[in-house]
Amino acid sequence: MAHTNGDSSQLQHITSQLQKLGLPDLPSHPDVLLYPQNNPVDVYRAHIIQQVQEITGAEAKVIDSALAWTLDLKHGDLVLPVPALRLKGKKPDETAKEIAEKFESPLLAKPTADKTFVRFFFEPGSLAGFTLPTIVSKKEGYGFNSSLGRKDPTDSSSPQKLVIVEYSSPNIAKEFHTGHLRSTIIGGFLVKLYERAGWKALSMNYLGDWGKQYGVLSQGFDKYGNEESLKTDAVKHLNEVYVKINQDNYAEQKPVVELKAKIDELKKLKTPPKPKKPAKGEQPKPEPEHVWTDGQEAELNDTVEQLQAKLKELEALPSIDEKARQFFRRMVDGEPEAIANWQRFRDYSIERYKDMYARLNIFFDDYSGESTVKEVDMEAAAKVMETRDLSEESEGAIVVDFAKHGKPKLGKTLVKKRDGTSLYLTRDIAANKERDDKYHFDKMIYVIASQQDTHVAQFFEILRLMSPPYSDIVAKCQHLSFGLVKDPKGQTMSTRKGTVISLADSLDDVHNYMHEVMKKNADKYAQIEDPEATADLLGISAIMVQDFSGKMVNGYNFDMERMTSFEGDTGPYLQYAHARLCSMKRRSEIPDSELPSADLSLILGAKEGIELIRTLAQWPDVVLNTLKTHEPVTVLTYLFKMSKALSSCYDAKDTANKNAKTMSVVYAESREKKVALMALYESARLVLANGMKLLGLTPVERM
């Protein structure tokens, strides 16, 4: 047990509390990492492990792994699924009954055996004594354990582990829209999560800043660009230019697209696909009669000739697409004029993105991109793929056929075009090794949309097949996939089609809405130091909480009306809960210095107060679980649960005493009870603030 890694005064407090209950020091389990100085529940874990081990003979490590926190406190503060103890010779339900009958501790009520589960309920008085003083003393540190980020978590002097989180990664010169939001705030959340767990976290933005599309953009700027608009809002203007030139390109390429579609249809008629195999027990259906006429053959040949002629015509123009290809070739060759034009667009874009990131409370340590990957490293990666027979030539290009390497579902992927230019998959492979060479990371997380699941799976599989050092590096990598943000009607957004919702415009809209709501209460509005900044924080909270409200794999529709509601599980609701606690603290005039020594027995008469204390004690375990799931919704669900427990305290009444408000600071019958209530409510405020900050929200004190 890691007793040495924490605040010694906190451990002294725990020992003092235990001695009051007639218990000696905490039980020690050398092969189990517990941190009671950070997590009050670990005090109970230590005692449960000790007694269950004595009763059953199970290993301490196995018991610790089996003990689980419950989603609903009516099922216990901790639960032990007996089958997980892997005991032989006795039925699990009988063992559960034996544990419940023999378990004795002043820290806990008598456990209950529920079939093969043992449910443990903490004694409220001891839980309050361990939990609330820990929160008010640790403040912003409550719930977080910096030992977890050490290479040796039992040694506080051990070096920190390094995690790189690659996220956001927009294509330069494109509008930062609501579709980019998910990767950005999920990545920002992961950086904060690992930092609070003691890791060194490096925030990386791998920009889409290389490719033929910048040839398209360059032509668009020549035709539609304006220098003043570029200086005023580079990304917005370049996005408008990009949409217009793509519309021109679509019109230019439309005949080619139509001819190719016609050829595909004729080829299907000429060589129809084989019928599907019948299901087991069914008779195969007779194949339809195949008819292919001379007229159809002539039509196919004529269409192919038309396509070839049209392609030659576009090449001779040259077309927008052909000019883009030539421009990118000049970029690859390092032609100064082409590079200068591209660099200008890149620099302007990054400066504009930084403003947007700052508004979202996101900051990057490393702005890299496809353009920064070295050609020599790409060639080295290509050579390894070739020598290990991973890549092969196909119609002048270089491909990897995963079916030949035991992964047929991954299909084929292109790693080098016919003209010799590398694709972004090759760049990803080389960049992966470059990062390890530079940073020697312990873990790297790629936050990439589910649209790219196949690409990432191909990327990781190639690295595994390339053998060390590439396979060693990918073993330290993880892909975090997420669903798409769609428009309010559920349609996918597209930059080329001009159907994206600008995030800046959305933030401005929600800011204005929140500002109008705030102004409706003139008295409170007058007390806010910076109403515009507060409105912005409320708006950003609304957007981020909507995004975090479901599992990452699920997409959602960007719904302004729903996200700005003060009812239900929304950002404004959380901010209101925090602002109300701040108001209570100001009005109580109880100094923080009195809270650690509060007489907590005065607030244990109301079941609502006990439920809130039990919920607050869960916060360190919530953080620990979130490190495993990486799901922001784990934190968000907890915060809403805690806020509702808090709201129940406000409404608590003593029906036997004229419905007296038993948990009200204003109506507290003595100063001692007022101090005890403020110890509870300040603990709730600190936990709420800690959770909101972990999600990337900035808690407001007035609204």
Side-chain angles (χ1 to χ4, degrees), residues 593-609:
S593 59
E594 292 187 33
L595 302 183
S597 57
D599 182 357
L600 302 177
S601 66
L602 298 174
I603 59 172
L604 297 178
K607 65 180 186 300
E608 293 87 354

Side-chain angles (χ1 to χ4, degrees), residues 325-326 328-329 396-397 416-423:
R325 205 182 329 273
Q326 293 171 7
F328 181 54
R329 185 72 255 174
K416 189 173 280 190
K417 292 182 179 179
R418 293 177 191 175
D419 62 5
T421 55
S422 296
L423 276 85

Side-chain angles (χ1 to χ4, degrees), residues 131-149:
T131 303
L132 301 189
T134 299
I135 298 173
V136 297
S137 64
K138 284 192 168 291
K139 298 185 183 298
E140 289 78 11
Y142 177 65
F144 306 111
N145 183 358
S146 61
S147 298
L148 302 176

Side-chain angles (χ1 to χ4, degrees), residues 167-184:
Y167 63 104
S168 193
S169 305
N171 291 326
I172 63 166
K174 289 190 181 179
E175 184 82 75
F176 199 103
H177 58 76
T178 52
H180 291 123
L181 179 71
R182 293 212 86 182
S183 173
T184 303

Side-chain angles (χ1 to χ4, degrees), residues 326-339:
Q326 293 171 7
F327 186 91
F328 181 54
R329 185 72 255 174
R330 286 158 52 202
M331 284 171 59
V332 172
D333 292 341
E335 183 185 292
E337 186 181 345
I339 291 295

Side-chain angles (χ1 to χ4, degrees), residues 219 252-253 309-323 326:
Q219 291 176 75
E252 204 172 63
Q253 294 292 327
K310 188 64 185 175
L311 289 171
K312 286 181 180 178
E313 178 188 328
L314 290 173
E315 190 175 346
L317 277 175
S319 65
I320 293 169
D321 194 62
E322 180 58 31
K323 282 182 180 178
Q326 293 171 7

Side-chain angles (χ1 to χ4, degrees), residues 403-465:
K404 295 179 179 178
H405 304 284
K407 298 283 183 177
K409 289 185 179 179
L410 292 180
K412 291 183 180 180
T413 189
L414 196 64
V415 292
K416 189 173 280 190
K417 292 182 179 179
R418 293 177 191 175
D419 62 5
T421 55
S422 296
L423 276 85
Y424 63 88
L425 177 60
T426 316
R427 293 181 178 276
D428 285 346
I429 292 166
N432 182 267
K433 185 174 182 299
E434 286 180 354
R435 292 173 192 179
D436 193 60
D437 290 343
K438 181 176 181 180
Y439 293 111
H440 308 290
F441 58 82
D442 297 281
K443 186 184 188 87
M444 179 156 64
I445 301 172
Y446 291 87
V447 184
I448 302 175
S450 56
Q451 280 180 312
Q452 299 291 320
D453 280 357
T454 299
H455 165 76
V456 178
Q458 291 172 339
F459 164 41
F460 278 20
E461 186 59 27
I462 288 174
L463 287 167
R464 290 186 193 101
L465 293 168

Side-chain angles (χ1 to χ4, degrees), residues 56-59 82-90 95 99:
T56 66
E59 293 180 20
V82 174
L85 298 182
R86 303 195 294 271
L87 299 171
K88 295 180 180 178
K90 199 168 187 178
T95 303
I99 293 170

